[in-house]
Amino acid sequence: MRIEISQVKVVAYLENPDRQADHAVDLSSLRHLLPALIRRILDATQARIEGKRYKTQAAYLRSSVVTFGRFLQLRGICSLPIHLDECQALILDFYIWYLSTGHYKATLVTRTRSWDQTISGWLCMLGEEGVLPRGLMIPKTTLPRLVVANGTALWPRSIGDGPAVSTNSAPVGRTLYGQIFWTTDVDAIEEIEQVMRSRIESLSKYCDDYWHRTVKDFHVGLKLIRSKSEWIKARASTQLWGPDNDALDCLKCFRPGLATHPNVPGSEAATLAILGYILRTSNDVSCLSAKSLSCHPAFCSRFARKRAFSSQDLLYELSSLTKNQLELQTVMSMYLRFLGVLSPLDIAVACAILIQEHPTLNPESIISARLLNVKGKSFVLATDRAGGLRLSVDKPRAGCRKYATLSKRAARVIKHILKVTAPVRELLRRAGSKFWRHLFVGSGSGKLGHPEVSSRQLNGHTKYSLVRYYPELEELGLVQGTLDFAKIRNTMGLLTWFETGSLVLVSVRLGNTYRVSLENYIPREIRRIWNERIVRRFQNILLVLASAGKEYCLRVSDMAAVQELNWFLAQITYDFAPGSSVVADEIYRKYAPRFRISIDEQCRCETSFDGLLSVIVSKDVVAHLYKQRLDWDLGRLPIIEHADGLLDLARMIYIIAVRPDVAERFMGVANTGLLRSAHRDAINGLMNSNITALERNILTNWEVV
């Protein structure tokens, strides 16, 4: 943290790892204090928040330092009291002012929580550092919890209170579907799922189309650069950027002195070759801006500012973009596109693809992902699968790193990003930029670095957005308010719930806990519709059982037609196995003959599937399996022993224990923590037993990584 104190303002600058400029926090509420006192307060605060994320530091400064400075300014206090009793009275006055002031819009509960968690600790720290007298009693407030609840708006518990009348206020839409309202329609779940699935499939289709066009234009640009490889070597050594003799022979009258002039044949290829040379040799992050290129001896002063002085006809002819998409391009954006320099839209599309394939990685982690750590080790690693990649990103709120074995679609995106960002990354490293370790580096605002990427590049808020390139997305309802990175991730989790009905699999897919997945990713309205559907289904089952064979069966049920009733009866007859419950036996007794279903046929259908294997995991069992695998690896077992499946079971336990990404996939069906513990105990037991040196070396490679 860097502090600037002047007579006009007091500012604290915090280093933002994702931006070149530092984040400024205005502390001007302290400017009426003595400069020495300001320095002592901020130095003590800096020591307390050092090492935390810059957002946490900024929030801490605003909630404690700014608030205390505003209070001192309103009271007209320029220096803190020295005596204990005077300072104690000041702290109590500050406490009452903070909880009772109308300057803050926060509720009383929020203000008391902020005082107890932040401000009181900050005041105690000032006392320990000697800024305030020692021995101060800092008050704390804990509001009493509500013991008797009055219910909810729709289900009041007080006598005389009826349900609240529904209003037109819209709930928060957290998925691509948009705002979801509660309804009594039994087909609402299917309709919501169908809309979500169609929108996510359309988004995937257009993201893939845009990415394929980007990759295609990059390869075309490579061919143009290679066609001028010998020419750029000769011109770079002499620093004379005129056209070659073949191009001059094609000109009859006017012969420009620069190869990048629009009248020179093949000037587009020469311009791309020069831009690639600048990218490989320059140390300036603004070397590819229009202002810098206009000062370069290879370009005229109006290059990239007016199309009449810039050659671009060949690029527009060779580009894979459609006519409407080309109208959104500028001269400089076309050259950067063919050069392979990523734009904010390119990065946004890549992030959308990665979130669709791996929702366990949240948008903030993907956008700010690093390719290399401080020691130069890559976070993108190869897997044992041919061409497979494994990506890890940092999730600060979770306090750990999240891993994902990339799918083929995501791996293609990452491989292209690694290829095209290599020269940009080298330039940033030469220039001393802190962004050279980021995964996504490109051009933004005329500079090379880590561009600012947000949902604006997707939902049409800016000119260069995915919706502007593909207006079909707007027709599908994917616009501002329904399309962003978080909604894509939430939709993928909700579709998993629609497909499986398992919240455990949803938590695994999103990388969150069971409770967080239920409360934050499954909309409340969806849960209400689903619960009501289950209740109505159970009620209908009881009604059709009680009225079986009666002519009023259709009237008492919740069915609109005989066909719908027959479909419901056939469904419950096939779904409920006989013997599973008393209701299932009654269903089979009354309705199985109508649909020609026999109990023997149902049993045969059930036994035709493979059963589940249940294994009691212990260190002795795992040690026995590993001993069998050791004997097989050393050639002590005959070939036929490999067919009994024990070796495959040993390999499966080993993979689950040493591979966190595989363990995440088995969380719903296996106790991965118990497997890892049994694996560790089994390895230790075998290492302490009487084994050969060769077996000991093999077991060393089997330890948990």
Side-chain angles (χ1 to χ4, degrees), residues 490-702:
N490 296 350
T491 301
M492 299 306 298
L494 190 56
L495 289 179
T496 302
W497 185 68
F498 283 143
E499 294 171 359
T500 62
S502 173
L503 280 173
V504 175
L505 295 180
V506 174
S507 63
V508 172
R509 185 160 177 77
L510 295 177
N512 293 107
T513 62
Y514 183 93
R515 180 179 178 180
V516 171
S517 301
L518 176 63
E519 295 179 354
N520 297 338
Y521 293 97
I522 308 298
R524 182 178 58 183
E525 290 75 16
I526 291 289
R527 298 199 303 267
R528 291 186 59 193
I529 296 173
W530 183 262
N531 294 336
E532 181 172 338
R533 181 178 181 177
I534 294 175
V535 172
R536 293 176 65 179
R537 178 183 174 87
F538 181 71
Q539 292 174 346
N540 282 329
I541 290 176
L542 297 181
L543 290 174
V544 297
L545 286 178
S547 60
K550 307 296 183 181
E551 60 181 10
Y552 54 82
C553 182
L554 178 62
R555 295 198 302 270
V556 298
S557 65
D558 194 16
M559 309 297 168
V562 177
Q563 295 81 1
E564 186 178 355
L565 177 61
N566 289 330
W567 179 85
F568 176 74
L569 294 175
Q571 184 187 36
I572 62 175
T573 307
Y574 277 99
D575 287 348
F576 295 99
S580 59
S581 65
V582 178
V583 176
D585 294 338
E586 286 294 317
I587 291 174
Y588 261 78
R589 187 176 65 84
K590 294 184 177 182
Y591 291 106
R594 172 184 295 187
F595 301 102
R596 299 178 181 179
I597 302 174
S598 64
I599 297 180
D600 297 335
E601 177 185 356
Q602 181 70 15
C603 294
R604 288 196 301 270
C605 293
E606 291 180 356
T607 57
S608 62
F609 298 99
D610 296 333
L612 296 176
L613 174 64
S614 299
V615 180
I616 300 177
V617 178
S618 67
K619 64 177 182 179
D620 297 331
V621 173
V622 178
H624 176 73
L625 292 174
Y626 285 178
K627 181 60 177 175
Q628 291 285 331
R629 182 183 173 187
L630 276 175
D631 294 339
W632 167 260
D633 292 342
L634 296 176
R636 298 171 182 170
L637 296 179
I639 300 298
I640 193 173
E641 290 291 336
H642 184 256
D644 60 2
L646 293 179
L647 300 179
D648 295 334
L649 181 59
R651 291 190 180 94
M652 184 187 72
I653 295 176
Y654 165 72
I655 291 297
I656 294 176
V658 302
R659 292 277 301 276
D661 55 334
V662 177
E664 289 183 0
R665 297 178 181 270
F666 278 86
M667 285 181 61
V669 295
N671 190 339
T672 57
L674 181 60
L675 285 177
R676 289 175 63 88
S677 178
H679 167 85
R680 188 182 299 105
D681 294 340
I683 292 294
N684 294 334
L686 291 175
M687 294 288 285
N688 297 329
S689 62
N690 188 14
I691 59 175
T692 63
L694 181 58
E695 290 176 335
R696 194 176 301 275
N697 292 334
I698 296 176
L699 288 175
T700 304
N701 298 327
W702 289 4

Side-chain angles (χ1 to χ4, degrees), residues 465-511:
S465 63
L466 189 64
V467 175
R468 295 289 297 274
Y469 276 69
Y470 298 95
E472 297 83 358
L473 292 174
E474 187 174 0
E475 298 176 0
L476 294 172
L478 294 177
V479 293
Q480 185 178 4
T482 58
L483 176 60
D484 57 38
F485 297 117
K487 288 182 172 59
I488 295 174
R489 181 169 179 256
N490 296 350
T491 301
M492 299 306 298
L494 190 56
L495 289 179
T496 302
W497 185 68
F498 283 143
E499 294 171 359
T500 62
S502 173
L503 280 173
V504 175
L505 295 180
V506 174
S507 63
V508 172
R509 185 160 177 77
L510 295 177

Side-chain angles (χ1 to χ4, degrees), residues 32 68 117 129 583:
H32 65 286
F68 188 61
Q117 295 179 357
E129 296 295 332
V583 176

Side-chain angles (χ1 to χ4, degrees), residues 102-319:
H103 181 77
Y104 298 99
K105 297 181 180 180
T107 61
L108 180 61
V109 176
T110 303
R111 277 182 280 176
T112 54
R113 187 189 307 117
S114 176
W115 177 274
D116 294 341
Q117 295 179 357
T118 305
I119 300 178
S120 62
W122 179 72
L123 293 175
C124 291
M125 181 269 302
L126 292 182
E128 296 172 357
E129 296 295 332
V131 180
L132 296 177
R134 295 180 181 273
L136 287 174
M137 300 294 294
I138 307 300
K140 288 189 177 182
T141 301
T142 302
L143 295 179
R145 297 181 59 184
L146 185 63
V147 179
V148 180
N150 295 324
T152 62
L154 294 177
W155 300 97
R157 295 182 181 179
S158 302
I159 298 177
D161 291 341
V165 180
S166 60
T167 61
N168 295 327
S169 59
V172 178
R174 295 186 176 181
T175 63
L176 296 183
Y177 183 85
Q179 301 167 353
I180 300 176
F181 295 90
W182 177 78
T183 178
T184 58
D185 189 3
V186 294
D187 298 328
I189 292 288
E190 286 78 4
E191 179 185 354
I192 293 173
E193 180 183 3
Q194 183 180 1
V195 172
M196 287 185 181
R197 199 171 298 279
S198 63
R199 288 183 176 181
I200 202 69
E201 290 176 355
S202 301
L203 181 63
S204 302
K205 171 186 173 183
Y206 292 118
C207 285
D208 289 340
D209 181 74
Y210 178 86
W211 192 257
H212 292 159
R213 294 177 187 272
T214 302
V215 174
K216 185 177 180 180
D217 288 351
F218 167 69
H219 287 290
V220 172
L222 279 182
K223 293 180 180 179
L224 294 176
I225 293 176
R226 289 168 184 169
S227 65
K228 292 289 185 178
S229 58
E230 298 298 332
W231 176 84
I232 192 65
K233 290 180 181 179
R235 294 299 185 268
S237 60
T238 61
Q239 293 295 314
L240 299 176
W241 306 101
D244 52 14
N245 295 327
D246 295 336
L248 291 176
D249 294 340
C250 298
L251 300 175
K252 297 181 179 179
C253 52
F254 175 70
R255 294 191 175 187
L258 297 177
T260 58
H261 196 276
N263 294 338
V264 178
S267 57
E268 293 86 354
T271 302
L272 277 175
I274 296 174
L275 293 178
Y277 170 76
I278 295 174
L279 186 62
R280 294 190 303 270
T281 58
S282 177
N283 297 330
D284 184 13
V285 295
S286 303
C287 61
L288 295 183
S289 64
K291 182 178 181 181
S292 298
L293 294 178
S294 62
C295 301
H296 195 275
F299 300 94
C300 62
S301 59
R302 297 184 181 181
F303 176 78
R305 298 182 179 181
K306 290 188 177 181
R307 292 195 174 185
F309 296 89
S310 308
S311 53
Q312 73 273 346
D313 295 339
L314 182 61
L315 300 183
Y316 279 79
E317 180 181 348
L318 298 177
S319 178

